Amino acid sequence: MSRTHIQSLMEEGRVHVNGVATKPSFRIELGETVVVEIPPAPLPGVEAEEIPLEILYEDDDLAIVNKPAGMIVHPGASVPTGTLVAALLYRFGDSGLSTVGGPLRPGIVHRLDKDTSGAVIIARTDTAHLKLIHEFRERRIEKTYVALLHGKVKGEAGSVDLPVARDLRRRSRMTARRREGREARTDWRVRLRLDGFTFVEANLHTGRTHQIRVHFSALGCPVVGDTLYGAPREERMGMQLLPSLGRNFLHAARIAFAHPRSGQRLEVHAVLPHDLVAYLKNLGLAANLSPQSIDAALKEFL
């Protein structure tokens, strides 16, 4: 096994020392017991599938795709088909995507969670892929999200800089309660307030797993629909029970960076999906907000 593979197992909480999950920097002592859980290896490669894709931008070096909610970026043990990678292989072919990520992740530079929609950068050459990875590491990629939160966030703008780490009790979750977590920062500002809800714009300075979801949950304001981090399964406006959204109200609305070949600034927007627009408008009507105020809050994202 490669060091990278072992490190990924640690980050997934699959390596335990004396029964406690550890991270790669942990130093072991003589006499301690190390247990490594190795999941079954997925089949090599991914089969192309004819799945529609919304291409926001495309050239010979890269593409930017508007990923829908409900789609996994790359296959895993529990989701072998219907992924973004399978759709990309059908659209661009084997030779039209970078190979840096290996046979299971061709072209994949970064990811969005399954129930998060929006802009995803796809590398079409290895040179572009490596340059984009460098830009992400140097935090030069600008990423803007919009989210609807439960509760009332204090203030009109702010920043959350709590570290993000794997939750040792529930491996599917991350947490901001462990001091040894990785540095993370999310800047936010309020775009609209409703009774018991806040519509915000958030800018990421780091790209930790579930970062926005973890940070707002830590503030006591989980993302609407995100039951993993504390959102209720049924939304209410006062005594009125609202229709289920069926996803997280979280969307990657804008991404901007220097093009890996030309160096020129590239900024791409992914419009807010119709289901999120309709949900926010219905919520506004239930809160007796004017349609004009809702339209003003959504203007930049349509």
Side-chain angles (χ1 to χ4, degrees):
M1 293 172 63
S2 67
R3 289 193 303 170
T4 301
H5 188 186
I6 296 171
Q7 185 175 19
S8 68
L9 292 177
M10 290 181 177
E11 291 172 349
E12 292 170 4
R14 298 180 184 274
V15 178
H16 294 74
V17 177
N18 294 337
V20 179
T22 61
K23 59 181 184 175
S25 61
F26 184 84
R27 294 181 177 274
I28 60 173
E29 302 289 343
L30 184 66
E32 292 183 316
T33 300
V34 181
V35 176
V36 182
E37 176 192 349
I38 305 175
L43 295 175
V46 181
E47 293 290 333
E49 298 178 53
E50 188 176 359
I51 302 172
L53 282 177
E54 181 183 354
I55 307 295
L56 302 174
Y57 175 87
E58 178 186 353
D59 62 27
D60 292 338
D61 299 292
L62 59 91
I64 300 178
V65 176
N66 189 7
K67 186 192 84 68
M71 175 182 276
I72 297 287
V73 170
H74 57 76
S78 60
V79 185
T81 61
T83 63
L84 177 60
V85 165
L88 291 170
L89 287 169
Y90 186 87
R91 173 65 175 78
F92 296 107
D94 291 325
S95 61
L97 297 168
S98 71
T99 63
V100 173
L104 293 178
R105 305 181 185 185
I108 301 302
V109 183
H110 67 122
R111 296 178 293 177
L112 291 179
D113 299 334
K114 175 184 176 182
D115 288 325
T116 301
S117 55
V120 179
I121 305 173
I122 304 301
R124 300 197 59 200
T125 69
D126 288 355
T127 299
H129 195 136
L130 294 172
K131 288 185 176 180
L132 288 167
I133 287 176
H134 178 75
E135 293 298 285
F136 270 105
R137 286 176 178 168
E138 295 298 315
R139 301 177 184 175
R140 295 175 185 152
I141 308 286
E142 300 172 24
K143 296 165 286 184
T144 301
Y145 291 73
V146 289
L148 182 65
L149 310 177
H150 283 278
K152 298 179 180 180
V153 181
K154 295 181 180 179
E156 295 304 308
S159 182
V160 186
D161 58 3
L162 298 172
V164 174
R166 180 71 58 181
D167 189 319
L168 299 181
R169 294 184 178 180
R170 296 177 62 185
R171 288 189 312 209
S172 61
R173 286 170 46 105
M174 306 298 286
T175 181
R177 296 179 180 177
R178 292 176 57 196
R179 295 181 180 178
E180 62 271 30
R182 301 178 70 184
E183 174 192 3
R185 175 183 161 192
T186 304
D187 293 341
W188 58 268
R189 67 183 179 114
V190 174
R191 302 305 296 256
L192 182 68
R193 291 187 182 276
L194 306 95
D195 291 345
F197 298 89
T198 310
F199 182 56
V200 299
E201 173 186 323
N203 292 281
L204 295 189
H205 292 267
T206 50
R208 309 307 180 201
T209 301
H210 299 180
Q211 178 175 321
I212 290 178
R213 300 163 62 189
V214 171
H215 273 173
F216 283 121
S217 178
L219 295 183
C221 299
V223 173
V224 167
D226 191 5
T227 56
L228 184 64
Y229 288 102
R233 295 190 179 279
E234 294 184 335
E235 315 293 345
R236 291 182 179 273
M237 174 66 76
M239 297 299 294
Q240 181 179 349
L241 182 64
L242 302 174
S244 174
L245 180 58
R247 56 162 294 184
N248 297 339
F249 199 121
L250 183 59
H251 177 71
R254 182 185 71 94
I255 197 158
F257 54 95
H259 192 281
R261 182 187 295 268
S262 68
Q264 294 182 346
R265 177 180 170 83
L266 179 61
E267 181 172 327
V268 176
H269 295 254
V271 300
L272 200 62
H274 295 302
D275 58 343
L276 299 188
V277 173
Y279 190 88
L280 189 62
K281 288 187 173 183
N282 289 335
L283 200 61
L285 292 175
N288 295 318
L289 288 182
S290 68
Q292 291 78 14
S293 64
I294 301 171
D295 290 341
L298 290 172
K299 183 178 179 181
E300 293 182 29
F301 311 111
L302 299 178

